[in-house]
Amino acid sequence: MKMVWKILHLICLLFFHGFYENVIGQPTSSPSSQKICEKLNPVNVDLKCYYRGASIKCDENLLPGTKVRPTCQPLHTYTNSTPTYEEINCKEDGKWDNALFSCVPDCGRPFTNAQLLIAGGVEEKIGDSPWHVAIYNEKKVLLCSGTIISPHIVVTGAHCVHDRIKDAPADANNYEVVVSKVSRDYATKDNAAQRTYKVKEIRFDKKGYEGMHSNYASDIALLILSEKITMGATVMPVCVDWSGTKNIPPTEGIAGKVSGWGLDAISKGNLSKILKSANLPFISRINCAKFFDNKAYLTRDKFCAGSEQSPSLLQGDSGGGLVFKEKDHYFIRGLVTRTLPSNPHIAAFTDVNDHIDWMLPVRNEVEQDVIEKETTLRYKNKSP
């Protein structure tokens, strides 16, 4: 009888061991002689790992038979040429069948061989600021500027899309975003890359936006677009310091670039028909205070930029991004909020870095949802 119970006990152990290995994914143990593949160390690459059809973690050494599907993180591209494989496999000898590729940022790079639209002045060329967009209302009137920060998201000033009556984000259906745009006129087709996108959703900072009632604090909004922006040489996101590890700009007085369709001094106060840009020196929040008659407007998330030699930022510039060059890439630091009545050459900017803790989860939510859908569609007919 004891022998029968021992046999039954052994059968149960073998059954549950096999059940755990086949259903859960990884075996409960592995022979000491079994070789394993070393942990992967991705550089700007997202990994999805599978073992016997089940999803597993990628942050450890992996068993033979494990399949890994690598993809560049959002706003990154392959360091070298596009790889010829879609997944890498851990072989029985404990080695990967392909080397994991790395990715580099694909953002904030102007199209240097741009076509010159108008000679002279400070007019922008197509692709000089590939992240800059025009925001129009339902009447096709240009309201503000904006900046592409991800394939589905444009950042702009909250005051551009604020419903004062409801004290909330306005109806997203009232707005359109046009990329690769240089002329103010909505109907003018500037180039083949120009395209219009509908706004699906508007989000304000989690602290909310109350306009003048809160001295224009948190004057920042994210426009979630209804479809993915088609990127190219003249349409590209600006870089964002999502990790908060970069010191941009590194010192006071470093000039950043801002673009917009503000008033044109050359045409005696008429609205500019062409996108223009200007270089504005950075002024820290502390030094900015001396330019404010009413210092209440200098909220905790503001800094200034400009000088007596700088052009004035007016209607059409509002909501646009102030970007600074870091090596070969431009990073956004501020959004045009308002000029100072006492000195129109100095403008107040909403500090984008002050809102990263809110922006990053939104970006991840929007883009990861898209990545999951694309990955599912891509591999739905393939076994892991």
Side-chain angles (χ1 to χ4, degrees), residues 40 85 108 111 148 156 164 201 236 285 296 307 325 336 341 355:
L40 296 169
Y85 58 85
F111 181 48
I148 303 171
T156 188
R164 295 183 181 179
E201 184 183 356
M236 177 180 292
R285 185 177 181 277
S307 68
K325 190 173 184 179
V336 180
H355 297 272

Side-chain angles (χ1 to χ4, degrees), residues 15 33 52 77 83 86 173 192 219 226 232 278 306 315 378:
F15 172 79
S33 60
R52 296 192 176 182
T77 189
E86 293 184 342
N173 294 320
D219 189 7
S226 58
Q315 184 180 357
R378 188 175 182 182

Side-chain angles (χ1 to χ4, degrees), residues 282-352:
F282 177 83
I283 304 173
S284 66
R285 185 177 181 277
I286 295 175
N287 291 327
C288 182
K290 64 183 180 182
F291 295 105
F292 275 79
D293 294 331
N294 183 355
K295 290 181 174 51
Y297 285 122
L298 188 59
T299 55
R300 55 161 184 77
D301 64 340
K302 296 289 186 295
F303 66 84
C304 292
S307 68
E308 293 300 330
Q309 290 73 42
S310 301
S312 300
L313 297 179
L314 299 165
Q315 184 180 357
D317 301 321
S318 196
L322 179 65
V323 301
F324 293 86
K325 190 173 184 179
E326 168 71 12
K327 296 182 179 179
D328 295 327
H329 300 271
Y330 279 88
F331 285 77
I332 188 170
R333 176 63 189 269
L335 301 176
V336 180
T337 296
R338 64 194 303 266
T339 55
L340 279 60
S342 59
N343 191 337
H345 299 284
I346 305 294
F349 291 78
T350 297
D351 194 337
V352 172

Side-chain angles (χ1 to χ4, degrees), residues 91-344:
K91 299 187 299 182
E92 291 298 326
D93 60 2
K95 295 181 180 179
W96 295 103
D97 63 351
N98 281 292
L100 180 64
F101 56 77
S102 61
C103 301
V104 293
D106 190 19
C107 59
R109 294 185 292 109
F111 181 48
T112 54
N113 295 321
Q115 172 190 352
L116 184 63
L117 291 180
I118 298 177
V122 290
E123 289 86 357
E124 286 268 279
K125 308 168 190 175
I126 296 174
D128 274 359
S129 300
W131 45 82
H132 193 85
V133 304
I135 301 173
Y136 293 86
N137 64 11
E138 69 278 15
K139 297 180 180 179
K140 315 304 182 188
V141 175
L142 189 143
L143 292 180
C144 284
S145 293
T147 306
I148 303 171
I149 61 170
S150 91
H152 290 84
I153 303 176
V154 165
V155 63
T156 188
H159 69 274
C160 296
V161 289
H162 180 235
D163 187 326
R164 295 183 181 179
I165 297 177
K166 296 181 180 179
D167 195 21
D171 185 351
N173 294 320
N174 294 339
Y175 303 96
E176 291 181 335
V177 167
V178 183
V179 304
S180 196
K181 187 69 174 163
V182 289
S183 61
R184 169 182 286 273
D185 180 49
Y186 177 88
T188 300
K189 183 74 172 179
D190 296 317
N191 57 83
Q194 181 178 313
R195 188 173 174 185
T196 301
Y197 295 89
K198 298 289 186 181
V199 178
K200 180 175 68 174
E201 184 183 356
I202 299 172
R203 296 201 194 182
F204 285 173
D205 185 281
K206 58 188 177 183
K207 304 178 185 68
Y209 175 72
E210 300 176 352
M212 184 174 61
H213 299 297
S214 61
N215 298 316
Y216 301 99
S218 300
D219 189 7
I220 183 172
L222 297 181
L223 309 185
I224 315 301
L225 305 184
S226 58
E227 58 181 310
K228 184 177 182 179
I229 296 175
T230 301
M231 302 297 179
T234 63
V235 182
M236 177 180 292
V238 76
C239 297
V240 180
D241 183 16
W242 296 111
S243 64
T245 58
K246 295 184 179 295
N247 187 20
I248 300 173
T251 57
E252 184 102 1
I254 296 295
K257 176 185 176 183
V258 66
S259 303
W261 288 271
L263 294 182
D264 187 352
I266 298 177
S267 58
K268 299 180 180 179
N270 296 322
L271 293 174
S272 176
K273 296 181 180 180
I274 298 295
L275 180 66
K276 295 188 174 183
S277 64
N279 293 323
L280 305 181
F282 177 83
I283 304 173
S284 66
R285 185 177 181 277
I286 295 175
N287 291 327
C288 182
K290 64 183 180 182
F291 295 105
F292 275 79
D293 294 331
N294 183 355
K295 290 181 174 51
Y297 285 122
L298 188 59
T299 55
R300 55 161 184 77
D301 64 340
K302 296 289 186 295
F303 66 84
C304 292
S307 68
E308 293 300 330
Q309 290 73 42
S310 301
S312 300
L313 297 179
L314 299 165
Q315 184 180 357
D317 301 321
S318 196
L322 179 65
V323 301
F324 293 86
K325 190 173 184 179
E326 168 71 12
K327 296 182 179 179
D328 295 327
H329 300 271
Y330 279 88
F331 285 77
I332 188 170
R333 176 63 189 269
L335 301 176
V336 180
T337 296
R338 64 194 303 266
T339 55
L340 279 60
S342 59
N343 191 337

Side-chain angles (χ1 to χ4, degrees), residues 33-38 62-65 89-97:
S33 60
Q34 186 177 31
K35 296 184 178 181
I36 57 177
C37 290
E38 291 186 356
L62 298 169
L63 293 172
N89 300 277
C90 179
K91 299 187 299 182
E92 291 298 326
D93 60 2
K95 295 181 180 179
W96 295 103
D97 63 351

